[in-house]
Amino acid sequence: MSSLSSRSPAFQEYANQQLALFIGLCLAAVGACHRLFLVMWSQSVDQCSLVDDDALLARTVGASIDEWKQLRQEIQHPACPIFEEKNGRLVSPYLRQQAAQQRKYRKLQKEKSVKGVAARVNQRVTRGLPTGSPAGEARVTSSSSSSSSIKKA
């Protein structure tokens, strides 16, 4: 799980996956699912679930409780429910997969970055160059008064 500030603000929607996921749903049900996806992604800690409370879910999709209950019957059709109902939460397997893919990608990017920095430092050391800022590059320094100045290295 990630904090709200350190996670991706977006998830990828692939047309074929979305069409397959929403096949047979009426327009209102598709809109409700999409709104739930957006709220799950942007506001839930795990990016893929919400508390399974009909009053809360109705407000989330902009419907009365009765309208939501009708939409829910369609969305959660026993033959092909869109969401899993687990431990008092409505969970999106689609978003859970998206979040896992993004965590994996970010981890790989971080590892590449660390290896790249290490390689550059190692390269500078083997050439006998200092490992600080390269000569002639500007660097930003700050003082306790929160003002910044640029100095030549």
Side-chain angles (χ1 to χ4, degrees), residues 20 72-73 77 80 93 104 112 122 126 136 143 147 150 152:
R72 184 179 182 133
Q73 286 179 347
H77 190 277
C80 189
K104 181 179 176 182
K112 283 182 185 178
N122 194 21
T126 58
S143 64
S147 64
I150 297 181
K152 269 300 215 191

Side-chain angles (χ1 to χ4, degrees), residues 3-120:
S3 73
L4 292 175
S5 64
S6 68
R7 63 189 194 181
S8 175
F11 61 92
Q12 298 227 328
E13 288 187 275
Y14 297 97
N16 287 339
Q17 287 178 339
Q18 293 292 304
L19 288 170
L21 190 61
F22 298 145
I23 193 90
L25 296 181
C26 73
L27 181 59
V30 170
C33 287
H34 197 258
R35 171 93 46 103
L36 290 171
F37 280 179
L38 295 175
V39 172
M40 285 176 178
W41 190 264
S42 65
Q43 296 178 14
S44 77
V45 174
D46 63 5
Q47 294 185 287
C48 65
S49 71
L50 289 173
V51 173
D52 191 356
D53 174 271
D54 283 331
L56 172 68
L57 296 168
R59 282 192 307 275
T60 300
V61 301
S64 70
I65 293 177
D66 289 337
E67 290 169 329
W68 163 247
K69 286 182 178 181
Q70 286 181 324
L71 289 171
R72 184 179 182 133
Q73 286 179 347
E74 186 174 344
I75 292 167
Q76 292 299 93
H77 190 277
C80 189
I82 303 296
F83 300 101
E84 295 172 355
E85 298 171 4
K86 287 186 170 181
N87 302 319
R89 298 190 71 80
L90 205 58
V91 180
S92 168
Y94 178 78
L95 290 181
R96 186 176 50 223
Q97 177 189 21
Q98 289 291 316
Q101 286 174 341
Q102 287 194 16
R103 281 191 302 274
K104 181 179 176 182
Y105 177 78
R106 284 179 165 206
K107 181 181 177 189
L108 289 172
Q109 292 304 101
K110 184 177 180 180
E111 290 170 0
K112 283 182 185 178
S113 175
V114 168
K115 287 179 184 177
V117 168
R120 285 189 299 278

